[in-house]
Amino acid sequence: MRLPEPGTIQIAPSVLSADFARLADEIKVIESAGLVIVHLDVMDGHFVPNITLGPPVIKWIRKCTDLVLDCHLMISDPEKYVEAFVKAGADHVTFHIEATDRPEQMVETIHGLGCTAGICLNPETPVSAIETVAPLCDMILVMTVHPGFGGQSFIQEAAQKIEPIRRLVGPQVRIQVDGGIDPTTTPRVVGLGADTLVAGHAIFGQKDRLAAIKAIQDASA
Ligand code: DX5
Ligand code: ZN
């Protein structure tokens, strides 16, 4: 599956806050809401102070869904592991600008493996750090929390980078926001130019996942 063409707002639920013992069911809920992207947070305990999932889990997720598997690599040395994630079934691979010296080469590698590519920047990283690589990417990921954990509070100042990034990449590149997205922060990031909304706690932290998705959709309209 490919990322939807830019020009539509997409919600990409992050299963980080889902019930991992019932992951297939949680993914079915995303499908039944009519969403097309699932956001998979990969953490290595080195680039970020938490450990989550790797290629073996993604391989099993791939077998149970046709959703776009959007892999957010919060790992050191992403060049060493990118092929394993693609072989496991990733459709889109995002890596951090803070984790590599050769971002342009990484984008080329990801494209060469048949996936779309994303670059991500942490809250304290300036837009200038991605100036060269951003136009080569299919999606830019703006962190609005410090990566590592779900359920943190939205950092307003980090969201301010959405506007200059939109000017830099134009309308043909998706801008994804990740961290603290819920029905109250959604209008703000959409107003600034974001079109892809990652939400973890705001969906899987709620009893009624479908109602939670609908509330974010309503807030983005
Ligand atoms: C944080 C992850 C996020 C996280 C978002 O490091 O990259 O994708 O799951 O979670 P919420 O929506 O709960 O802030
Ligand atoms: Zn993420």
Side-chain angles (χ1 to χ4, degrees):
M1 282 280 283
R2 305 291 291 177
L3 276 181
E5 289 299 314
T8 54
I9 304 279
Q10 300 289 333
I11 298 171
S14 157
V15 294
L16 188 59
S17 295
D19 180 345
F20 270 72
R22 295 179 43 253
L23 204 44
D25 293 341
E26 298 277 45
I27 289 170
K28 289 280 168 287
V29 174
I30 302 173
E31 290 175 354
S32 67
L35 302 182
V36 293
I37 305 173
V38 56
H39 184 81
L40 303 171
D41 286 305
V42 176
M43 305 187 190
D44 65 351
H46 186 262
F47 181 72
V48 287
N50 197 6
I51 300 175
T52 54
L53 51 90
V57 176
I58 291 174
K59 192 176 127 206
W60 285 101
I61 294 176
R62 180 74 292 166
K63 288 181 202 287
C64 76
T65 186
D66 287 330
L67 291 175
V68 176
L69 301 187
D70 160 25
C71 293
H72 176 192
L73 302 186
M74 286 162 275
I75 63 174
S76 303
D77 301 321
E79 39 285 295
K80 259 195 211 165
Y81 300 98
V82 59
E83 196 173 344
F85 283 97
V86 175
K87 280 199 174 137
D91 296 301
H92 177 85
V93 179
T94 288
F95 61 98
H96 273 254
I97 189 70
E98 303 86 3
T100 179
D101 294 332
R102 299 193 199 90
E104 291 84 7
Q105 204 172 306
M106 265 295 282
V107 171
E108 209 178 301
T109 302
I110 295 167
H111 283 158
L113 290 165
C115 290
T116 49
I119 188 74
C120 180
L121 69 176
N122 280 338
E124 65 281 0
T125 303
V127 176
S128 57
I130 60 161
E131 233 161 45
T132 321
V133 70
L136 310 172
C137 294
D138 306 276
M139 186 153 78
I140 315 299
L141 175 47
V142 178
M143 289 306 303
T144 42
V145 296
H146 295 285
F149 300 91
Q152 304 182 74
S153 307
F154 181 77
I155 303 171
Q156 299 274 2
E157 306 79 67
Q160 301 299 345
K161 287 183 281 184
I162 296 169
E163 259 184 336
I165 291 173
R166 179 54 80 203
R167 280 198 295 275
L168 175 66
V169 298
Q172 286 311 312
V173 175
R174 285 197 166 272
I175 300 182
Q176 187 174 39
V177 200
D178 188 1
I181 297 300
D182 62 21
T184 65
T185 51
T186 290
R188 174 161 179 73
V189 297
V190 170
L192 288 165
D195 54 17
T196 314
L197 311 172
V198 176
H201 179 75
I203 294 172
F204 296 105
Q206 315 303 313
K207 241 202 168 96
D208 188 342
R209 273 90 158 124
L210 284 175
I213 290 169
K214 172 95 177 23
I216 300 171
Q217 277 170 333
D218 289 348
S220 72

